[in-house]
Amino acid sequence: KAGVTQTPRYLIKTRGQQVTLSCSPISGHRSVSWYQQTPGQGLQFLFEYFSETQRNKGNFPGRFSGRQFSNSRSEMNVSTLELGDSALYLCASSFRTGAGSPLHFGNGTRLTVT
Amino acid sequence: AQKVTQAQTEISVVEKEDVTLDCVYETRDTTYYLFWYKQPPSGELVFLIRRNSFDEQNEISGRYSWNFQKSTSSFNFTITASQVVDSAVYFCALSEASGQGAQKLVFGQGTRLTINP
């Protein structure tokens, strides 16, 4: 069974640009979550989608948005990039939503904003 | 508010030593879940274990064991006879059941474990 796939692996963008990251969950998984990892703030929850609906959102500005498609694939978008958005963005999937569901993570997309 | 503290930022031991990674959590919920994840250099977080707040039984899986104590709000992780392949960053995480029915993990800052040959 293929794991969670994130594309691209690496991205370099300029301040002010926007970026879209993609995530394909494990087959059969309907919940997709996104996390940001930085050396200073650690791992922080961005949002979760289940059956194309956003279930929960972390404490991030509106420049961060996401969506989920009918095949459970998900994208997240960051507009008007800032230097502080440089981070490893991790996508995770699980079969169902709910606090007890273990998350299965992808390798991440490393975004560098210059 | 929920919070996870991993006081040990870095640990370095020699192969075959036992090592314990500490995790202390804070939550007001009576129903919650605790997790440990391993992050190797490749970047992905690998799920190791989940515990719910009503199950304080310790768990052993090969060289790995976990000690959950509600009285001290701790969920510690021990690696017995450590190996170089255990080198990674380990994260403890908490998820509250009351969180709008959705998943939201709150992670500790992580402990970087280095096993030297």
Side-chain angles (χ1 to χ4, degrees), chain A residues 6-114:
Chain A
Q6 291 187 245
T7 55
R9 286 297 308 275
Y10 302 93
L11 264 178
I12 300 176
K13 290 287 187 178
T14 303
R15 197 169 40 180
Q17 288 184 315
Q18 76 164 20
V19 67
T20 299
L21 312 182
S22 180
C23 173
S24 293
I26 292 172
S27 178
H29 284 193
R30 295 167 62 195
S31 170
V32 174
S33 303
W34 290 88
Y35 287 79
Q36 181 197 64
Q37 185 175 24
T38 60
Q41 298 299 315
L43 280 155
Q44 294 186 288
F45 172 77
L46 279 158
F47 26 64
E48 185 212 358
Y49 287 88
F50 182 78
S51 293
E52 302 178 65
T53 301
Q54 186 179 89
R55 297 273 293 170
N56 201 354
K57 187 173 177 8
N59 190 24
F60 279 83
R63 299 185 297 106
F64 291 81
S65 63
R67 59 178 176 169
Q68 186 181 35
F69 303 96
S70 57
N71 61 359
S72 294
R73 194 177 67 83
S74 176
E75 289 181 348
M76 68 163 280
N77 184 278
V78 187
S79 62
T80 319
L81 284 166
E82 300 177 359
L83 296 179
D85 297 333
S86 294
L88 179 66
Y89 290 89
L90 290 162
C91 170
S93 74
S94 65
F95 179 71
R96 57 179 180 86
T97 186
S101 299
L103 300 183
H104 301 270
F105 285 82
N107 287 335
T109 294
R110 185 164 296 282
L111 171 65
T112 302
V113 182
T114 62

Side-chain angles (χ1 to χ4, degrees), chain A residues 35 37 55 94 98 100-101, chain B residues 37 39 44 50 95 101 103 105:
Chain A
Y35 287 79
Q37 185 175 24
R55 297 273 293 170
S94 65
S101 299
Chain B
Y37 283 87
Q39 187 175 40
E44 85 276 22
R50 174 193 63 188
S95 181
Q103 287 176 337
L105 287 179

Side-chain angles (χ1 to χ4, degrees), chain B residues 28-98:
Chain B
R28 293 177 184 170
D29 270 24
T30 55
T31 304
Y32 53 88
Y33 297 84
L34 295 164
F35 301 82
W36 274 96
Y37 283 87
K38 173 182 180 179
Q39 187 175 40
S42 54
E44 85 276 22
L45 288 163
V46 178
F47 167 73
L48 295 177
I49 190 172
R50 174 193 63 188
R51 259 288 174 266
N52 73 54
S53 52
F54 299 107
D55 182 3
E56 284 194 74
Q57 260 193 329
N58 291 333
E59 175 142 350
I60 299 174
S61 175
R63 297 183 296 105
Y64 296 173
S65 63
W66 291 268
N67 180 263
F68 175 31
Q69 290 195 339
K70 286 178 74 171
S71 60
T72 55
S73 296
S74 65
F75 186 43
N76 297 336
F77 173 30
T78 297
I79 301 175
T80 303
S82 59
Q83 300 177 1
V84 172
V85 293
D86 296 326
S87 297
V89 182
Y90 290 85
F91 291 94
C92 180
L94 166 71
S95 181
E96 293 176 334
S98 65

